[in-house]
Amino acid sequence: MTRTTPLAAARGQLPPPGVELAFDQTVPRSLAHRRQVGEVFVTDSAQGSEEDFHLSFQIPRAHSLWSDRQAGFHDPFASAEAARQSIFVLLHRHVGVPVGLPFSLQRITLRVADPQAYAHDGTSALQGYVHYRVAERQGKGSDVVSMVLEGVMEIGGRRAMTLSAVLAFMSQEDYDIFRAFQRARKPVAEARRTPVRRLDPGLVGRENPRNVVIGLPEHGAPEDAVPHDGVFRFLPAADPHHPAFFDHEYDHVPGPLMVEAMRQAALVAACRTGAAGPHALTVGCEAAFLDFAEFEADLVHEAVVGAPGADGRVPVTVVLRQFGKPVVEGRIELLPDAAPLSPSRTRAHGV
């Protein structure tokens, strides 16, 4: 295993002098693990050293999912999706990991360092740069076993977000054996999904009902009910044909869908407790993926709202459970009172 020094570019300019990154076109879709060209957000990449990688990205202004929010702020989760795709690009284009080698994100952490980096007037695209540094690595190329990445994102000249990711790799044969073993230990054959009514999009800061991914049992408590134990519970309600979440076929519930479900569960829970409104800005996310989630069974989303911090951020602990066991454990941070810059200053800092 190799270890490197902390991320140096977090203190400097992105991209650094001598590294030129363009926004003219996206990278090949296979590098970003996307089947649809319109779902590819990474536009360019360059390797600075053996452990340093620089990438550029742009989110389409009319994207069906990431543009579905009130004007004033871009969605930080849109840039997080670009950062996720950037990991695939650097692995395949620069590190020598073959396209098609199975690997999984075991843990992700992101924190918005400057919310004003996401301010916009409704006319500008969200674009910027990501720098990743390999902090730890076991194996190389097709023999890689694990990797830890530390990253920083810049938008409009502002340090917008810090990121980290823990990756695990295996051969296709090992993956197939592992998944078969996992499913055999679960009561998948006897599982039944509870009928669900999708939440109103306004409750999760969306306008398009198709972008709502959580709901409540059809005959359960009303949407505005507050549980006596303080734990808000929701069930999956995502459109199985959603072009962003189901860009290609999966043998398990996709990680990005579960993270969006965490965010929506946190928003609704914060709204019901009065800690934040549905248009609060998501400024932090931690998620540990403990198991694969199966499509056949209920995936219960449990959210508990914590006390606001000194910086006004509201932490919401979220756990996704299936067959009584945690599949994902994490936390979402919401900023209730984010106020966008004035239009003139927004244009100055936008892209």
Side-chain angles (χ1 to χ4, degrees), residues 198-341:
R198 188 179 295 171
L199 293 183
D200 183 276
L203 295 176
V204 295
R206 299 293 191 180
E207 297 181 0
N208 186 346
R210 196 180 192 189
N211 292 329
V212 180
V213 301
I214 61 173
L216 293 171
E218 283 187 355
H219 304 294
E223 293 184 351
D224 58 353
V226 177
H228 64 84
D229 60 357
V231 181
F232 294 87
R233 294 176 176 86
F234 308 93
L235 292 173
D239 178 355
H241 304 292
H242 195 290
F245 296 123
F246 296 97
D247 170 79
H248 54 277
E249 293 183 1
Y250 293 89
D251 68 350
H252 58 275
V253 181
L257 173 58
M258 292 193 290
V259 172
E260 175 62 18
M262 290 175 62
R263 187 251 290 269
Q264 293 189 14
L267 274 172
V268 178
C271 287
R272 291 190 192 173
T273 61
H279 298 290
L281 199 65
T282 306
V283 291
C285 175
E286 300 175 10
F289 299 93
L290 309 176
D291 196 356
F292 289 94
E294 313 298 343
F295 286 110
E296 293 92 336
D298 284 344
L299 184 61
V300 181
H301 306 56
E302 300 178 349
V304 178
V305 182
D311 56 2
R313 299 183 182 218
V314 177
V316 184
T317 300
V318 184
V319 179
L320 275 59
R321 299 183 190 274
Q322 193 168 63
F323 303 117
K325 298 180 179 180
V327 174
V328 183
E329 295 179 339
R331 185 174 79 162
I332 298 292
E333 288 188 342
L334 305 172
L335 188 60
D337 301 320
L341 299 171

Side-chain angles (χ1 to χ4, degrees), residues 14-46:
L14 290 183
V19 176
E20 299 292 335
L21 297 175
F23 297 93
D24 297 331
Q25 60 186 7
T26 61
V27 302
R29 54 197 173 103
S30 62
L31 295 181
H33 291 198
R34 298 278 85 181
R35 183 169 293 172
Q36 303 172 83
V37 175
E39 295 297 326
V40 179
F41 302 150
V42 182
T43 59
D44 204 355
S45 68

Side-chain angles (χ1 to χ4, degrees), residues 133-203:
R133 184 170 181 82
V134 179
E136 297 181 21
R137 169 187 345 218
Q138 185 176 1
K140 290 190 175 183
S142 58
D143 296 323
V144 65
V145 175
S146 64
M147 186 178 294
V148 178
L149 296 171
E150 301 289 343
V152 62
M153 177 180 293
E154 181 180 285
I155 297 172
R158 293 171 173 258
R159 185 186 179 204
M161 180 183 289
T162 57
L163 317 98
S164 67
V166 179
L167 313 175
F169 303 79
M170 64 184 73
S171 69
Q172 184 65 57
E173 181 181 3
D174 287 344
Y175 176 83
D176 292 340
I177 294 173
F178 177 65
R179 284 291 288 136
F181 173 74
Q182 275 196 323
R183 286 179 59 84
R185 298 182 64 189
K186 301 173 183 178
V188 176
E190 297 80 27
R192 297 291 184 272
R193 291 282 299 273
T194 301
V196 174
R197 67 179 190 276
R198 188 179 295 171
L199 293 183
D200 183 276
L203 295 176

Side-chain angles (χ1 to χ4, degrees), residues 2-24:
T2 60
R3 293 177 182 268
T4 65
T5 56
L7 186 66
R11 300 187 298 273
Q13 172 188 352
L14 290 183
V19 176
E20 299 292 335
L21 297 175
F23 297 93
D24 297 331

